[in-house]
Amino acid sequence: MAHSRDPEIQALLDKKAIEETLVLFLRGCDRADETLVERAYWPDGWEDHGGTFNGPASEWVAIVKGRLPKAGLMNHLMMNLMIELKSPTSALAEAYILTASRLKVKGEWFDTRTLARCVDQLEKRGDEWRILRRTMCWEWNEEHEISETWARGAITEDASQLRRGAKKPDDILYLEV
């Protein structure tokens, strides 16, 4: 006999699973972990990347998987996440994504921060939530020359001594502790 959960408890579990799907996608982008990037979308998913791409998520994932290992260090921060469960197998999520990146374009390194908003339609198949359709819009962007002083020396005088974030497999997340 199948166990039936309290609907409010199930709603909390579903919302947490959706949040984890979205956060793991961002981890995949930051660490160039292709498995996490690919796992966020259903194979029949769709990506509307706010004017830079609009098509099957599988094509978007292929583009991202090619870019991430060569991209500079980046960090995606998800904020103001709102999840509306439409049915036991359908949800709508809205999240603001703040990205800080160190990029090299035309031979020049610079830092950039971008705020975007994602509206995701998610679907639950079996026990797994994934993105069925993502629609992004770009809110703002700012760029500046690199000026890394590590709190003007308060964190360290010698930045070469710091353990730094990296791509898979070199990031601390993937190293044996």
Side-chain angles (χ1 to χ4, degrees):
M1 186 167 153
H3 176 68
S4 178
R5 285 196 178 106
D6 177 293
E8 290 178 346
I9 300 295
Q10 187 59 54
L12 288 172
L13 292 170
D14 286 334
K15 287 182 177 187
K16 188 62 181 169
I18 289 167
E19 178 184 10
E20 189 169 298
T21 295
L22 301 177
V23 169
L24 285 174
F25 170 79
L26 297 176
R27 176 190 278 177
C29 291
D30 293 345
R31 301 296 143 225
D33 188 327
E34 297 175 1
T35 302
L36 295 179
V37 170
E38 191 168 30
R39 191 171 72 196
Y41 294 90
W42 288 114
D44 57 337
W46 193 265
E47 172 75 21
D48 177 348
H49 210 68
T52 63
F53 177 88
N54 190 6
S58 59
E59 291 179 21
W60 174 245
V61 167
I63 291 168
V64 170
K65 285 166 65 173
R67 288 181 184 168
L68 289 178
K70 298 176 275 186
L73 187 60
M74 65 180 71
N75 300 106
H76 291 80
L77 308 172
M78 185 173 69
M79 303 169 287
N80 298 356
L81 175 63
M82 291 297 299
I83 300 169
E84 181 182 348
L85 297 173
K86 299 288 193 175
S87 76
T89 60
S90 175
L92 181 71
E94 177 191 38
Y96 286 80
I97 309 297
L98 179 62
T99 306
S101 304
R102 179 156 292 169
L103 302 174
K104 185 178 185 181
V105 175
K106 298 178 184 171
E108 182 181 342
W109 285 97
F110 62 98
D111 287 334
T112 180
R113 283 190 299 255
T114 303
L115 183 67
R117 192 162 36 96
C118 295
V119 175
D120 295 322
Q121 296 171 15
L122 296 106
E123 190 171 274
K124 184 178 187 180
R125 299 179 187 173
D127 290 330
E128 190 173 9
W129 285 96
R130 291 189 192 188
I131 300 167
L132 185 60
R133 179 179 179 86
R134 167 166 281 179
T135 303
M136 274 188 66
C137 68
W138 303 95
E139 300 289 344
W140 56 262
N141 172 260
E142 66 179 10
E143 298 171 359
H144 54 87
E145 293 182 16
I146 297 171
S147 63
E148 192 172 82
T149 65
W150 293 98
R152 299 185 178 168
I155 294 173
T156 185
E157 293 286 335
D158 182 3
S160 70
Q161 300 300 309
L162 295 174
R163 181 181 305 114
R164 304 292 296 269
K167 305 288 184 183
K168 184 181 181 182
D170 300 318
D171 187 73
I172 62 170
L173 181 65
Y174 304 97
L175 300 175
E176 293 291 326
V177 180

